[in-house]
Amino acid sequence: MPDPSVPAEILFQGVELSRGALVVLRGIDLAVQSGETLVLVGRSGSGKSTVLKLVNRMLLPGKGRVIVRGTATDQWDAIQLRRQIGYVVQEVGLFPHMTVQRNVDLVPRLLAWESERSVGRAADVLRLVGLDPAVHAQRYPHELSGGQRQRVGVARALAADPPLLLMDEPFGALDPITRSEIQHEFRTIQRQLGKTIVLVTHDMAEAFLLATRIAVIDDGRLIAVDTPRNIAGHTHPAVRALLQPLVEVSAAIGTAEG
Ligand code: ADP
Ligand code: MG
């Protein structure tokens, strides 16, 4: 559980955001503590990606403040802020004309690391996500499977060792078996690296597997922020609706076994 004596890594205070006439986020208050994995769930269009974009200053709030590592995002230089943050999106966004190596050590090279150090770092993070650099570093993105590309996306986000990771449906496009493998590897990485992570998914099973806390967003409002165990008992209709598929699967398995 969050310790109120430790300053939050990410703090939303009364955040509202509109896109034209559409109110996308309403009165969001949220504190993400150092080292936790907060998983943001909600149906499509509920505002999950918007929350992440407020953290890395791709968007600024209309009302309220987003404070990252002690400084409000409108006071952060966007480039400096994004150096604190690894950002992983579902579409991955690897550069097709660059090798895996070049894609992964992009940020270290931008930060003018020595070439030996950035190559070594790329190899380390590739191993961390389960790719052998000797096999994969010189390949191009089109020579990889979807799961391997997704791993490269995670490796790239980790390359410059940022303290924060924002992950927007990072495993969404994968088949269920590959997805499950990557989720389990991700848990190992989580334990090894102790990053502060905000991960968006619409998959409740993924949320239960990866979260220290789950935040449920519905139509731009945060309606619950709690541990997975406690979320399972929430009675809010929007929480129950998200849980319903899991309930149905476990009932069906129970029937099959019984
Ligand atoms: P989620 O990630 O939960 O699916 P988003 O945060 O992407 O939802 O979007 C929340 C709402 O904001 C949606 O109604 C969406 O249509 C709207 N929206 C998102 N991006 C834009 C944009 N660039 N311009 C206008 N409306 C947008
Ligand atoms: Mg989204």
Side-chain angles (χ1 to χ4, degrees):
M1 286 305 283
D3 175 352
S5 69
V6 179
E9 287 275 292
I10 300 169
L11 195 58
F12 280 65
Q13 293 179 329
V15 169
E16 307 229 355
L17 184 122
S18 298
R19 298 266 208 182
L22 179 74
V23 183
V24 176
L25 296 178
R26 314 157 194 262
I28 302 281
D29 291 302
L30 177 67
V32 184
Q33 303 298 329
S34 180
E36 82 167 319
T37 299
L38 185 100
V39 176
L40 195 54
V41 294
R43 63 173 65 212
S44 190
S46 57
K48 304 181 297 297
S49 297
T50 302
V51 168
L52 296 191
K53 289 174 185 167
L54 282 161
V55 177
N56 66 10
R57 219 201 129 138
M58 286 166 74
L59 293 170
L60 287 168
K63 276 192 206 153
R65 297 196 301 171
V66 178
I67 298 167
V68 179
R69 315 203 90 205
T71 301
T73 49
D74 63 352
Q75 303 298 309
W76 266 107
D77 172 68
I79 308 269
Q80 294 296 334
L81 174 62
R82 287 172 200 160
R83 281 187 188 161
Q84 316 287 315
I85 298 173
Y87 189 38
V88 185
V89 292
Q90 183 179 329
E91 319 79 68
V92 187
L94 299 179
F95 293 102
H97 59 286
M98 288 187 196
T99 61
V100 166
Q101 163 78 46
R102 299 297 269 180
N103 268 288
V104 171
D105 73 8
L106 194 65
V107 178
R109 281 186 289 121
L110 286 175
L111 296 175
W113 288 21
E114 300 271 335
S115 129
E116 213 171 294
R117 182 176 169 218
S118 62
V119 170
R121 177 65 185 167
D124 288 346
V125 288
L126 284 172
R127 275 190 286 270
L128 200 59
V129 299
L131 294 175
D132 180 353
V135 176
H136 296 102
Q138 298 312 318
R139 291 198 181 166
Y140 287 86
H142 75 269
E143 299 173 306
L144 304 175
S145 71
Q148 289 167 337
R149 276 199 291 273
Q150 214 91 41
R151 288 177 157 93
V152 173
V154 175
R156 180 176 58 183
L158 292 169
D161 203 19
L164 304 179
L165 279 185
L166 303 178
M167 309 182 83
D168 199 346
E169 304 196 24
F171 314 126
L174 304 176
D175 69 83
I177 296 175
T178 308
R179 182 175 195 163
S180 167
E181 285 169 3
I182 294 192
Q183 286 167 344
H184 283 91
E185 283 164 18
F186 177 78
R187 277 167 44 121
T188 312
I189 293 174
Q190 244 177 338
R191 278 192 292 266
Q192 282 178 12
L193 304 184
K195 305 275 181 205
T196 305
I197 300 166
V198 184
L199 184 146
V200 164
T201 182
H202 53 247
D203 175 352
M204 284 304 272
E206 182 165 289
F208 276 99
L209 201 60
L210 303 180
T212 50
R213 288 189 303 151
I214 295 174
V216 182
I217 185 165
D218 185 54
D219 195 18
R221 286 191 182 83
L222 264 187
I223 55 171
V225 185
D226 218 329
T227 60
R229 182 184 291 265
N230 289 341
I231 283 287
H234 269 253
T235 54
H236 191 292
V239 180
R240 298 319 304 169
L242 284 167
L243 289 168
Q244 190 57 27
L246 293 185
V247 172
E248 284 170 11
V249 166
S250 50
I253 290 173
T255 309
E257 283 179 345

